[in-house]
C-alpha cells in the first residue's frame, strides 16, 4: 500500500471502545523523551480536540496496566496521533513504551477523551502555562491553530529543568512564524552560562513581566501538581477569573490504591445507554469498581481534579470528595466525578 495515497471511505475511530493503534514512527525529543506516531490499522479517522488525551493499555505478565497521555499532535490531522512520553526512573509504563513501542508495534488505545483546552475554555486571548511533559496539550493547541489558520492570540510559557529537556524546542520558532500573535517563552530552572534564555523559577513577578495583561486572559495550565498550584495562586492574585482558569494533571504518583473495605453494602452501578452494569463494593469509588470489572471509563487524574470522567447521574446518590474538577452548578444539575464518588445507593449513570 502506498502510504501517500489518500484513504478512501474511512470510518471514524470509536472513542468509546478499545482499539489497536500501530506505531508508524518514533523520534527523539530530548535525551529522555520520545514522540510516538500512532495510527489505526484500518485507516480510521481519529477525531479529537486539542487538549484531549487517550488511554493506553499494555500487558505486564498477565496484568493489564493503563496510562493516559495527552495528544501532542495537531487535531487537524486525522490520519495519525502523536504522544510524547518521558522515560521516568522506575516508570513501569513509560519505560515499556520506550523499550517496546517501536516502528510496526501495536498498542491498545481508548479515547480520545477529556475536556481541557480552548474548545472547553473559550476566550479571545490565552496564556498557555506548562512544565515538563505538561507541554504536550499546549503543543497540540498551537499546532492545531497553525494548521487550521486560527488567529491564536496566546503567550506560551514553558518551564523545563534544563535547556536540553525542552520538548519540541526546534518546533517553537516555526510555529511563531505561522502564528503572528503567538509569543513563546522558555524558562530553565538550571542552565549553562552560554544559554540565552531565562533561568530560574517561574514566579508571580516573572509571570507578570512576561504577560502584563494576564488578568484579562484565559489560562490553560498543565504540569506537576506543585507547579499548577503555584501558577493558579499567581494568576488568581493577578485577577484571572476562576472560570477562565483550567488545568490538567497526569501525575499518577499519588494515585489512590483501590481497597474494598467490605464493611458496608455493595451497590449496583448501571450505565443507562450501554446497559452495562457492575457491583461497587464498599470502600471503592465508582471508577475503581468499573476498572476492577473491566469496564472502561475515560479518566485521567483519578483524584477529582481534571473532570475528565464527569458524567450525569440519573438515579441514586453518592458521597463525592473531589478536588475542584467539577463546579457547584454541575453538581446541582446531577453531574458527578466517578473517580471521587462512592455510592450511597444503587446508581444509574447516563453513559
Amino acid at each position: 500500500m502506498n502510504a501517500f495515497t489518500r484513504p478512501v471511505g474511512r470510518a471514524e475511530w470509536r472513542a468509546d471502545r478499545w482499539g489497536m493503534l500501530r506505531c508508524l514512527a518514533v523520534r527523539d525529543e530530548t535525551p529522555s523523551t520520545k514522540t510516538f506516531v500512532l495510527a489505526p490499522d484500518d485507516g480510521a479517522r481519529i477525531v479529537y480536540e486539542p487538549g484531549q488525551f487517550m488511554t493506553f493499555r499494555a500487558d505486564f505478565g498477565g496484568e493489564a496496566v493503563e496510562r493516559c497521555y495527552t495528544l501532542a499532535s495537531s487535531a487537524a490531522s486525522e490520519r495519525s496521533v502523536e504522544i510524547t512520553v518521558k522515560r521516568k526512573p522506575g516508570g513501569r509504563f513509560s519505560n515499556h513504551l520506550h523499550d517496546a513501542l517501536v516502528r510496526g508495534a501495536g498498542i491498545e488505545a481508548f479515547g480520545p477523551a477529556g475536556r481541557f483546552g480552548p474548545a472547553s475554555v473559550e476566550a479571545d486571548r490565552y496564556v498557555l502555562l506548562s512544565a515538563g511533559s505538561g507541554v504536550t496539550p499546549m503543543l497540540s493547541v498551537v499546532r492545531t491553530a497553525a494548521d487550521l489558520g486560527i488567529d491564536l492570540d496566546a503567550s506560551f510559557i514553558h518551564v523545563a529543568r534544563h535547556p536540553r529537556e525542552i520538548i519540541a524546542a526546534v518546533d517553537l520558532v516555526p510555529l511563531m512564524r505561522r502564528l503572528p500573535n503567538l509569543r513563546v517563552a522558555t524558562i530553565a530552572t538550571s542552565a549553562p552560562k552560554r544559554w540565552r534564555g531565562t533561568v530560574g523559577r517561574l514566579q508571580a513577578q516573572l509571570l507578570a513581566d512576561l504577560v502584563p495583561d494576564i488578568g484579562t486572559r484565559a489560562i490553560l495550565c498543565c504540569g506537576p501538581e506543585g507547579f499548577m498550584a503555584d501558577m493558579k495562586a499567581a494568576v488568581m492574585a493577578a485577577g484571572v477569573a476562576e472560570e477562565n482558569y483550567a488545568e490538567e494533571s497526569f501525575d499518577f504518583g499519588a494515585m489512590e490504591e483501590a481497597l474494598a473495605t467490605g464493611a458496608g453494602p455493595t451497590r449496583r452501578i448501571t450505565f443507562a445507554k450501554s446497559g452495562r452494569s457492575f457491583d461497587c463494593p464498599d470502600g471503592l469509588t465508582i471508577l475503581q469498581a468499573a476498572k476492577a470489572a473491566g469496564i472502561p471509563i475515560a479518566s485521567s487524574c483519578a483524584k477529582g481534579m481534571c473532570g475528565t470522567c464527569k458524567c450525569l447521574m440519573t438515579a441514586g446518590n453518592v458521597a463525592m470528595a473531589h478536588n475542584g474538577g467539577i463546579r457547584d452548578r454541575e453538581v446541582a444539575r446531577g453531574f458527578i466525578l466517578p473517580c471521587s464518588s462512592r455510592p450511597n445507593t444503587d446508581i444509574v449513570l447516563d453513559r
Side-chain angles (χ1 to χ4, degrees), residues 103-122:
R103 184 185 178 94
I107 187 166
E108 286 187 288
F110 183 91
R115 292 183 58 80
F116 175 76
S120 301
V121 183
E122 294 188 46

Side-chain angles (χ1 to χ4, degrees), residues 26-37:
V26 182
R27 65 173 184 268
D28 293 326
E29 296 285 357
T30 74
S32 59
T33 306
K34 294 180 182 293
T35 288
F36 302 88
V37 183

Side-chain angles (χ1 to χ4, degrees), residues 260 264-271 276-295 297 341-343 345-347:
T266 294
R267 306 298 187 182
R268 192 69 174 167
I269 312 298
T270 301
F271 291 176
R276 305 183 77 174
S277 59
F278 57 93
D279 289 332
C280 183
D282 184 57
L284 296 190
T285 66
I286 294 174
L287 179 64
Q288 290 168 335
K291 183 176 181 180
I295 297 177
I297 295 180
S341 297
R342 291 175 168 80
T345 64
D346 290 348
I347 299 294

